[in-house]
Amino acid sequence: VPVYLDHAATTPMLPEAAEAMIPWLTERFGNPSGAHAVARRARRAVDEARDTVCSLLGVPPGGLVWTGGGTEADNLAVRGALGALEERDGPRRAVVVSAVEHRAVRDAAARSGAPVRTVGVDGDGVVDLASLTEALDASVAVVSVMAVNNEVGVVQPLEEIAGLVAARAPGAVLHTDAVQALRWLDLRQAVAGADLISVSGHKFGGPQGVGALGVRPGTPLRRVTEGGGQERDLRPGTHNVAGIVATAVAAAATDAARAGYLDAVRSRRDRLVGAVLDALPGSVLLGARADRVAGIATLCFEEVESEALLVLLDGAGVAASAGSACASGALQTSHVLAAMGVPERLAVGALRVSLAPSTTDDEVDEATEAIVDAVQRLRKA
Ligand SMILES: Cc1ncc(COP(=O)(O)O)c(C=O)c1O
């Protein structure tokens, strides 16, 4: 079994979540949109799961739309809030996004037809609040700033951002992509200022292909796909009942365990980072001065290319990534690192390690040794 340090890409399912799926895949099948007892049982399960996740996000019961993953939740948030506001107030109002958003948000904004204002970040990846202030005015319909960056693990100052939005762009909808956040942060506090909150099951021990958009009461939102009217007509399509049930189980288990594992994960990660930095001159930790979640770190190595490094690590039984997992498998220099001003010669040698609560000391030791060895070999070659 490889040492798996790519939990920001996807996590194995928690056993209790996998177990909770099975009845809904077999004897308790049923389409929640129907009227008979089999359907009603499925609908009840979907609604109970909804309320479980609502309470973890800090939104009132019922305030959540199930989606087919984080990408879809992000698209629904950006395009659905913009669409609802345009319907109400007229077209072409501005969208404000940070420069380090996931493509699901960046491209949804870019393709929305509305003018997009992109707000930069500092050298540690934190949104520049002065630039944000400048970007905000009464014409802004939607603001989207992620809770935690997937490439460097940096936590954004959402409370201050929410304050600025309320003061300078009243009536604008604030969305946060919290896909990387739930495992590491209590979202009741961390995203308290956001109107729309995206999460994704497979980042915290739930199944792939199930996500949700938390919706605070009164937030303008409309559907972005056409269909049968499910989810109060905000996300048409037959529910993934088993996946939804398992996502709620994983979210609740994560929330209950979080306070108990954060320190241990953080200290394992910092031990790995410290040992690698000590052993390898010409290496840097990104976002070092920023608030970062416990399980993620990105290092850059001079004179090394990520792709070659990942191949050597894979051969040594260590699964890591170069920042974000790219659908094509081809690595491009990251827009996140570029926005942070990381020089190209360092950005091409980025390595993201992302741990889980289950990551052991032995795994950290093994990975440290493999990383140091691989970088040294590449530098000699
Ligand atoms: C910050 C962020 N947003 C959105 C997504 C997309 O989520 P999903 O894989 O569930 O579509 C990811 C996953 O890589 C992510 O890290």
Side-chain angles (χ1 to χ4, degrees):
V1 184
V3 175
Y4 183 80
L5 295 184
D6 203 13
H7 291 273
T10 200
T11 62
M13 281 185 72
L14 295 172
E16 56 267 52
E19 217 168 284
M21 276 182 99
I22 296 185
W24 299 100
L25 295 168
T26 53
E27 77 269 18
R28 285 198 223 162
F29 71 94
N31 186 328
S33 303
H36 46 62
V38 177
R40 289 200 306 275
R41 183 175 58 192
R43 183 155 67 246
R44 211 159 38 241
V46 166
D47 287 338
E48 281 172 17
R50 185 192 320 281
D51 289 347
T52 299
V53 177
C54 282
S55 80
L56 306 178
L57 300 185
V59 301
L64 181 141
V65 180
W66 291 111
T67 68
T71 299
E72 200 193 320
D74 284 344
N75 275 270
L76 174 60
V78 172
R79 295 171 52 215
L82 182 68
L85 283 167
E86 286 188 340
E87 255 171 27
R88 200 185 71 189
D89 303 334
R92 298 214 128 246
R93 306 200 332 147
V95 177
V96 174
V97 297
S98 89
V100 297
E101 295 304 305
H102 190 274
R103 276 188 61 189
V105 165
R106 291 205 313 154
D107 292 358
R111 298 220 160 211
S112 68
V116 179
R117 302 176 190 164
T118 303
V119 176
V121 296
D122 67 15
D124 282 304
V126 179
V127 168
D128 180 42
L129 295 179
S131 309
L132 176 65
T133 304
E134 259 174 59
L136 294 171
D137 59 40
S139 73
V140 172
V142 178
V143 180
S144 186
V145 178
M146 67 207 316
V148 173
N149 183 266
N150 49 305
E151 296 194 30
V152 290
V154 167
V155 180
Q156 298 296 347
L158 273 182
E159 200 180 325
E160 282 160 277
I161 289 167
L164 288 174
V165 171
R168 311 229 357 144
V173 171
L174 175 59
H175 166 245
T176 191
D177 175 340
V179 166
Q180 293 289 347
L182 193 142
R183 193 159 236 186
W184 311 117
L185 302 176
D186 182 343
L187 293 186
R188 297 171 192 85
Q189 284 127 40
V191 302
D195 302 305
L196 297 172
I197 305 144
S198 300
V199 294
S200 175
H202 74 110
K203 308 293 188 179
F204 51 81
Q208 296 166 341
V210 182
L213 185 66
V215 184
R216 256 182 243 288
T219 306
L221 190 67
R222 55 151 295 155
R223 67 179 183 277
V224 296
T225 48
E226 303 302 325
Q230 290 90 342
E231 293 293 278
R232 288 181 290 126
D233 206 24
L234 288 169
R235 197 280 190 176
T238 301
H239 296 85
N240 175 354
V241 179
I244 286 168
V245 167
T247 295
V249 169
T254 298
D255 190 68
R258 193 190 295 110
Y261 62 64
L262 285 181
D263 287 349
V265 176
R266 189 178 294 280
S267 85
R268 287 194 182 102
R269 181 205 56 190
D270 290 346
R271 199 159 62 73
L272 184 155
V273 168
V276 169
L277 291 176
D278 280 351
L280 296 169
S283 54
V284 292
L285 168 67
L286 299 186
R289 287 172 304 263
D291 182 15
R292 286 175 300 130
V293 294
I296 301 178
T298 294
L299 294 152
C300 287
F301 304 103
E302 281 175 7
E303 301 165 64
V304 165
E305 282 185 8
S306 305
E307 215 169 332
L309 177 56
L310 292 174
V311 170
L312 283 188
L313 288 178
D314 193 30
V318 175
S321 89
S324 58
C326 197
S328 66
L331 299 175
Q332 302 158 326
T333 326
S334 139
H335 70 279
V336 174
L337 273 50
M340 291 169 68
V342 177
E344 184 76 10
R345 80 190 151 79
L346 280 172
V348 296
L351 175 73
R352 180 186 71 186
V353 291
S354 47
L355 288 66
S358 59
T359 302
T360 64
D361 284 325
D362 285 350
E363 287 178 314
V364 163
D365 292 340
E366 216 176 299
T368 304
E369 205 174 303
I371 293 166
V372 171
D373 181 58
V375 171
Q376 285 172 341
R377 276 167 61 190
L378 289 168
R379 283 179 173 170
K380 275 194 210 121

